[in-house]
Amino acid sequence: MKKILATFLCLTFLAGMLFAGEQAANNPTGKKSITVEIYDRGNPGGSKPEANYWTDFIKKGMMDTYGIEVTFKPVPRWTEVEVLNNLLAAGEAPDICVTYSKPTIDTYAQMGGVLDMAPLLKEHKAELPNLWKLLGDQNIYWDKDPKTGKVYNIEAILVNNMRNSVFVREDWLKKLNIKEPKNLKEFEAMLVAFKNNASTLLGKDADKMIPFSVGVDLGWRADPLHTSFVTDSISDKELWIRGFDDRRLTWPGVKEGYRVINKWYNDGLIWKDFPLYPFGDKTEDNLMKAGYVGAFLGNWDYPYRDGDNGIHANLKKMSSPDAAYIAVECFPNNAGKYRKYLSPPVDRKVFFPATNKDPLSSLYYLEWMATLENRRYLQIGDQGVHHEVMADGAIKAKTVTGEKIMNSPSNIDYTILLNGLDLGDQDLNIKSLALAFSGVEKRYLEQSYKIMKHDARISPNYNVGIIKAEEGMEAALKEKRNTFLVQAVVAPVADFDKIYDSGMADYLQSGGQAIIDERTNLYKEFFGN
Amino acid sequence: MKSTGLLTVPSKKRKFSDYMHRYGTLYLLLALPVIYFIIFKYIPMTYIQIAFKKYNIFKTPWEMPFADKNGFEYFIKAFANRDFLYALRNTLMLNLLDLIIGFPAPILLAILLNELKIRWFKRFTQTVAYMPHFLSWVIIAGLALQLLAPTTGLVNIVLNNLGFESVPFLNKSENWVMTYIFLGIWQSIGWNTIIYLAAISGINPELYEAAELDGAGRIRKIIHVTLPSIRPTIIILLILSLGRILGSEFDRPYALTNPLVLDVSNVIATFVYTYGIRGLQFALTTAVGLFQSVVCVIFLLSANYISKKFGESGII
């Protein structure tokens, strides 16, 4: 009996190994197929990002046009860099990868893990007219190495180059008869008023009042408050050299912004538990939806996203019908300007890992995705289902739930070459943008948009090739930045300088200074003084 | 196995085939774990070389060129890195506390459970105590946040209502360490009692009867019968824990951490994650991992040696 059992066990094991081998060998060959990365936002009520109405549309389109089979590989949006790293390291990255992190691409490119697209682009340019029409030489060759001419990635286009707005509760301002704040002093007075009138505003939930809310990604959530302390005469060169951290940590002056937040924290104006909730956690959103949060800084469209599941709709449901966040402009700099420092108009970076055995098929995918009618459908969907057409031709988005839901605004996660509504007509774009958010009155978006464009300053592109000191440092520096900013902000006012300065010193010593130095030298090398 | 000697004297070959006939299936069974260890433990060990080489993801470790400074570049780099030194200190600190506070806990619980006379209550307590073992640290961290957060945590709300100040369980370094240790005990105490309870149930009841005849009370019986009888088990588990003194769990500190306590929650495993997996510095972090393993082996061997000196059986 024992013998039989043992033999049986061993045989099953061997058989298992054999079958596993066979399965691997049985992969469909002959038919062309590619895999494409897709962000998974885990949005409430959303559909599976790798298999839904939109992926079916793309798959069908690619099959009909090029006879190429497309498979999607989901990657969590908020940990995309980590997951992509794992996939790349394991040799399992999709054929078409998308990321916001240039250093990740550079690191792998150095090891020979990323395909040089330059020869392919040159050879097949004639077959890719729509790609060129959408991105132009500028975005396609944005990161072309100035010395070797290699192109490891192309840059998606950012139609609406936006950043953060300041949001406050419009209904609370009205209730307390406060005017929209126009400067820091008024803004602070408003926060204090929210706090002091908590029982008027929240009734029995008065103890839940959060006049101002932030998250652990303070560098983002302090923008544009912290950049209002940057002197207006700062040069583009300086901004670029110190601009490797997209949260502007090493820009001169931003420390004062954090000092203000530190003061507010100690005055009890800020959500006390924010340091405990990790990046991407939905607790803060839920507090906004419940109506406890008076003001916050965030992406220009943040409260208006996600239709029925979003902050705007839920706030009305859970609080009162007139409850809403409205964008205000209240942090002027030393020249009295409400500066918004915007990055160059590029978005995600698209690259092919070296494991991509059929880069031409992947280029065809990009071409298909750049074609106006395809991306237009992905962005606005069906008339009557996803949008209505207004009298002036503008497109108004409708709330969609169920299988035809868009997991990201205008499906930006699928239109990997394009962030922002582009209907092929500039006038129409602007008219439609304000209508692009279902269930949100036009004026809220118009106000945020107008504020965004007011006094905006766009940094130019300085292409110097790979910056060695940045390789492999992004994650560690990011963690250091978030850690010391949070620690400094929650410290007693008297300790703020000590904690901030020692944190900054550690940040610079751990690699930040090396990057600044290398950028300074590279700038000199390519652009003189 | 001995030949009866009546027939022919069997040849060597014959002996072997007899032996295989008799024990072959056992070897076949042994083959499975051996294959497992070779494939999943020994072959990957060739990648230890990465610690001494310039890493390139697309080459085998044999092809990669050696790192600078005779291959020790990354060890030097690690020990020059402040974060690593902190991680080293924190790993030692947290594991030592775990050992001092966490190690005796299941022994105590096992003895307490053993003294319970009501069978169903004993069973019930035991089951409840080992349930948390099956929860992942991510879930426990979520629970901890719900219970222990300063303003919205249930425990602190109760404290506030009783007129006390909130206790910053999670957002002050010293308190966080205690929370960390306590949650660790809570999660593993029941599971770890299983081995001790098994050892206790193996004690000859006559020993207790004899002790009773000599007039020993309950406490005396625990001290003079139960504890000495499970001593070998305790020693072996202690040696194994000492072997892990520089080893570190990843999910427990990673799930429980937050920016305010990073000065104590950054351990070697999270350092390796930040620099190695997220920062792609594989050579550096392999060097760290190798250092960690070597220190663990040294601890394990010395603990083993000491326990043998004291007349215990040891594990090697």
Side-chain angles (χ1 to χ4, degrees), chain A residues 85-128:
Chain A
N85 274 337
N86 288 344
L87 290 172
L88 284 162
E92 285 171 6
D95 294 329
I96 300 176
C97 292
V98 185
T99 179
Y100 278 99
S101 167
K102 180 87 172 84
T104 299
I105 302 174
D106 290 346
T107 308
Y108 277 94
Q110 293 280 294
M111 293 185 201
V114 179
L115 217 76
D116 174 18
M117 296 160 119
L120 271 169
L121 287 167
K122 201 174 156 198
E123 194 185 332
H124 299 280
K125 186 174 176 179
E127 298 163 67
L128 309 166

Coordinates of all heavy atoms in Angstrom, one line a residue, chain A residues 85-128:
Chain A
N85 N 8.5 47.6 -12.1 CA 9.8 47.1 -11.8 C 9.9 45.6 -11.7 O 10.7 44.9 -12.2 CB 10.3 47.7 -10.5 CG 11.0 49.0 -10.8 OD1 11.4 49.3 -11.9 ND2 11.0 49.9 -9.8
N86 N 8.9 45.1 -10.9 CA 8.9 43.6 -10.7 C 8.7 42.9 -12.0 O 9.3 41.9 -12.3 CB 7.7 43.2 -9.7 CG 8.0 43.7 -8.3 OD1 9.2 43.9 -8.0 ND2 7.0 43.7 -7.5
L87 N 7.8 43.4 -12.8 CA 7.5 42.8 -14.1 C 8.7 42.8 -15.0 O 9.1 41.8 -15.6 CB 6.3 43.4 -14.8 CG 5.0 43.2 -14.2 CD1 3.9 44.1 -14.8 CD2 4.5 41.8 -14.3
L88 N 9.4 44.0 -15.0 CA 10.6 44.1 -15.9 C 11.7 43.2 -15.4 O 12.4 42.5 -16.2 CB 11.1 45.5 -15.9 CG 10.3 46.5 -16.7 CD1 10.6 47.9 -16.3 CD2 10.6 46.3 -18.2
A89 N 11.9 43.1 -14.1 CA 12.9 42.3 -13.5 C 12.7 40.8 -13.8 O 13.6 40.0 -13.9 CB 13.0 42.6 -12.0
A90 N 11.4 40.5 -13.8 CA 11.1 39.1 -14.0 C 11.0 38.7 -15.5 O 10.7 37.6 -15.9 CB 9.7 38.7 -13.3
G91 N 11.2 39.7 -16.4 CA 11.1 39.5 -17.8 C 9.7 39.3 -18.3 O 9.5 38.7 -19.3
E92 N 8.7 39.7 -17.5 CA 7.3 39.5 -17.8 C 6.6 40.8 -18.2 O 5.4 40.8 -18.2 CB 6.6 38.8 -16.7 CG 7.0 37.3 -16.6 CD 6.5 36.7 -15.3 OE1 5.7 37.3 -14.6 OE2 6.8 35.5 -15.1
A93 N 7.4 41.8 -18.4 CA 6.7 43.1 -18.7 C 5.9 43.0 -20.0 O 6.3 42.3 -20.9 CB 7.7 44.2 -18.8
P94 N 4.8 43.7 -20.1 CA 4.0 43.7 -21.3 C 4.9 44.3 -22.5 O 5.9 45.0 -22.2 CB 2.9 44.7 -21.0 CG 2.9 45.0 -19.6 CD 4.2 44.6 -19.0
D95 N 4.5 44.0 -23.7 CA 5.2 44.5 -24.9 C 5.2 46.0 -25.0 O 6.1 46.7 -25.4 CB 4.6 43.9 -26.2 CG 4.8 42.4 -26.2 OD1 5.9 42.0 -25.6 OD2 4.0 41.7 -26.8
I96 N 4.1 46.6 -24.6 CA 4.0 48.1 -24.5 C 3.8 48.5 -23.1 O 2.8 48.1 -22.4 CB 2.8 48.6 -25.4 CG1 3.0 48.1 -26.8 CG2 2.7 50.1 -25.3 CD1 1.8 48.5 -27.7
C97 N 4.8 49.2 -22.6 CA 4.7 49.6 -21.2 C 4.5 51.1 -21.1 O 4.9 51.9 -22.0 CB 6.0 49.3 -20.4 SG 6.3 47.6 -20.2
V98 N 3.8 51.5 -20.0 CA 3.5 52.9 -19.8 C 3.8 53.3 -18.4 O 3.5 52.5 -17.5 CB 1.9 53.1 -20.0 CG1 1.6 54.6 -19.9 CG2 1.4 52.6 -21.3
T99 N 4.5 54.4 -18.2 CA 4.8 54.8 -16.9 C 5.0 56.3 -16.8 O 5.3 57.0 -17.8 CB 6.1 54.1 -16.3 OG1 6.3 54.6 -15.0 CG2 7.3 54.4 -17.2
Y100 N 4.9 56.9 -15.6 CA 5.2 58.3 -15.4 C 6.6 58.5 -15.0 O 7.1 59.6 -14.9 CB 4.3 58.9 -14.4 CG 2.9 59.3 -14.9 CD1 1.8 58.5 -14.7 CD2 2.7 60.5 -15.5 CE1 0.5 58.9 -15.1 CE2 1.5 60.9 -16.0 CZ 0.4 60.1 -15.8 OH -0.8 60.5 -16.2
S101 N 7.3 57.3 -14.8 CA 8.7 57.4 -14.2 C 9.7 57.2 -15.3 O 10.0 56.1 -15.7 CB 8.8 56.3 -13.1 OG 10.1 56.2 -12.8
K102 N 10.4 58.4 -15.6 CA 11.5 58.3 -16.6 C 12.7 57.6 -16.0 O 13.3 56.8 -16.7 CB 11.8 59.8 -17.0 CG 13.0 59.9 -18.0 CD 12.4 59.8 -19.4 CE 13.5 60.1 -20.4 NZ 14.4 58.9 -20.7
P103 N 13.0 57.8 -14.7 CA 14.2 57.1 -14.2 C 14.1 55.6 -14.3 O 15.1 54.9 -14.5 CB 14.2 57.5 -12.7 CG 13.5 58.8 -12.7 CD 12.5 58.8 -13.7
T104 N 12.9 55.0 -14.2 CA 12.7 53.6 -14.3 C 13.2 53.1 -15.7 O 13.9 52.2 -15.9 CB 11.3 53.2 -14.1 OG1 10.9 53.5 -12.7 CG2 11.1 51.7 -14.2
I105 N 12.7 53.9 -16.7 CA 13.1 53.6 -18.1 C 14.6 53.7 -18.3 O 15.2 52.8 -18.8 CB 12.3 54.5 -19.1 CG1 10.8 54.4 -18.9 CG2 12.7 54.2 -20.5 CD1 10.0 55.3 -19.7
D106 N 15.1 54.8 -17.8 CA 16.6 55.0 -17.9 C 17.4 53.8 -17.3 O 18.3 53.3 -17.9 CB 17.0 56.3 -17.2 CG 16.5 57.5 -18.0 OD1 16.0 57.3 -19.2 OD2 16.5 58.6 -17.5
T107 N 17.0 53.4 -16.1 CA 17.7 52.4 -15.4 C 17.7 51.1 -16.2 O 18.8 50.5 -16.4 CB 17.1 52.1 -14.0 OG1 16.9 53.3 -13.3 CG2 17.9 51.1 -13.2
Y108 N 16.6 50.7 -16.7 CA 16.5 49.5 -17.5 C 17.2 49.7 -18.9 O 17.9 48.7 -19.4 CB 15.1 49.0 -17.7 CG 14.7 48.2 -16.5 CD1 14.0 48.8 -15.4 CD2 15.0 46.9 -16.4 CE1 13.6 48.1 -14.3 CE2 14.6 46.2 -15.3 CZ 14.0 46.8 -14.2 OH 13.6 46.1 -13.1
A109 N 17.1 50.9 -19.4 CA 17.8 51.1 -20.7 C 19.3 51.0 -20.6 O 20.0 50.4 -21.4 CB 17.5 52.6 -21.2
Q110 N 19.8 51.4 -19.4 CA 21.3 51.3 -19.2 C 21.7 49.8 -19.2 O 22.8 49.5 -19.5 CB 21.6 51.9 -17.8 CG 21.5 53.4 -17.8 CD 22.7 54.1 -18.4 OE1 23.8 54.0 -17.9 NE2 22.4 54.7 -19.5
M111 N 20.8 48.9 -18.7 CA 21.1 47.5 -18.6 C 20.8 46.8 -19.9 O 21.0 45.6 -20.1 CB 20.3 46.8 -17.5 CG 20.7 47.3 -16.1 SD 19.7 46.3 -15.0 CE 19.7 47.2 -13.5
G112 N 20.3 47.5 -20.9 CA 20.0 46.9 -22.2 C 18.6 46.3 -22.2 O 18.3 45.4 -22.9
G113 N 17.8 46.7 -21.2 CA 16.5 46.1 -21.1 C 15.3 46.8 -21.8 O 14.2 46.4 -21.8
V114 N 15.7 47.9 -22.5 CA 14.7 48.7 -23.2 C 15.1 48.8 -24.7 O 16.2 49.0 -25.0 CB 14.5 50.1 -22.6 CG1 13.4 50.9 -23.3 CG2 14.1 50.0 -21.1
L115 N 14.1 48.7 -25.5 CA 14.4 48.7 -27.0 C 14.6 50.1 -27.4 O 13.9 51.0 -27.0 CB 13.1 48.2 -27.6 CG 13.3 47.3 -28.9 CD1 13.8 45.9 -28.4 CD2 12.0 47.2 -29.6
D116 N 15.6 50.3 -28.3 CA 15.8 51.6 -28.9 C 14.9 51.7 -30.1 O 14.9 50.9 -31.1 CB 17.3 51.6 -29.4 CG 17.5 52.9 -30.2 OD1 16.7 53.8 -30.1 OD2 18.5 52.9 -31.0
M117 N 14.0 52.7 -30.0 CA 12.9 52.8 -31.0 C 13.4 53.6 -32.2 O 12.7 53.6 -33.3 CB 11.7 53.5 -30.4 CG 11.0 52.7 -29.3 SD 10.0 53.9 -28.4 CE 8.4 53.2 -28.6
A118 N 14.5 54.3 -32.1 CA 14.9 55.2 -33.2 C 14.9 54.5 -34.6 O 14.3 55.1 -35.5 CB 16.3 55.8 -32.9
P119 N 15.6 53.4 -34.8 CA 15.7 52.8 -36.2 C 14.3 52.4 -36.7 O 14.0 52.7 -37.8 CB 16.6 51.6 -36.0 CG 16.9 51.4 -34.6 CD 16.5 52.7 -33.9
L120 N 13.5 51.9 -35.8 CA 12.1 51.5 -36.2 C 11.3 52.6 -36.6 O 10.6 52.6 -37.6 CB 11.4 50.8 -35.0 CG 11.6 49.3 -34.8 CD1 11.1 48.9 -33.4 CD2 10.9 48.6 -35.9
L121 N 11.4 53.7 -35.8 CA 10.6 54.9 -36.1 C 11.0 55.5 -37.5 O 10.1 55.9 -38.3 CB 10.7 55.9 -35.0 CG 10.0 55.6 -33.7 CD1 10.5 56.6 -32.6 CD2 8.5 55.8 -33.8
K122 N 12.3 55.5 -37.7 CA 12.8 56.0 -39.0 C 12.3 55.2 -40.1 O 11.8 55.7 -41.1 CB 14.3 56.0 -38.9 CG 14.9 57.0 -39.8 CD 16.4 57.0 -39.6 CE 17.1 57.5 -40.9 NZ 18.5 57.2 -40.9
E123 N 12.4 53.9 -40.0 CA 12.1 53.0 -41.1 C 10.6 53.0 -41.4 O 10.3 52.9 -42.6 CB 12.6 51.6 -40.7 CG 12.6 50.6 -41.9 CD 12.9 49.2 -41.4 OE1 13.6 49.0 -40.4 OE2 12.5 48.2 -42.1
H124 N 9.8 53.0 -40.4 CA 8.4 52.9 -40.6 C 7.6 54.1 -40.5 O 6.3 54.1 -40.4 CB 7.8 51.8 -39.6 CG 8.4 50.5 -39.8 ND1 8.1 49.6 -40.8 CD2 9.4 49.9 -39.1 CE1 8.8 48.5 -40.7 NE2 9.6 48.6 -39.7
K125 N 8.2 55.3 -40.5 CA 7.5 56.5 -40.4 C 6.3 56.7 -41.3 O 5.3 57.1 -41.0 CB 8.5 57.7 -40.6 CG 7.9 59.1 -40.3 CD 8.9 60.2 -40.4 CE 8.1 61.5 -40.2 NZ 9.0 62.7 -40.2
A126 N 6.5 56.2 -42.6 CA 5.5 56.3 -43.6 C 4.2 55.6 -43.2 O 3.1 55.9 -43.6 CB 6.0 55.8 -44.9
E127 N 4.4 54.5 -42.4 CA 3.2 53.7 -42.0 C 2.5 54.2 -40.8 O 1.6 53.7 -40.3 CB 3.6 52.2 -41.8 CG 4.2 51.5 -43.0 CD 5.0 50.3 -42.5 OE1 4.3 49.3 -42.1 OE2 6.2 50.3 -42.7
L128 N 3.1 55.3 -40.2 CA 2.6 55.7 -38.9 C 2.2 57.2 -39.0 O 2.6 58.0 -38.2 CB 3.7 55.6 -37.8 CG 4.3 54.2 -37.7 CD1 5.6 54.3 -36.9 CD2 3.4 53.2 -37.1

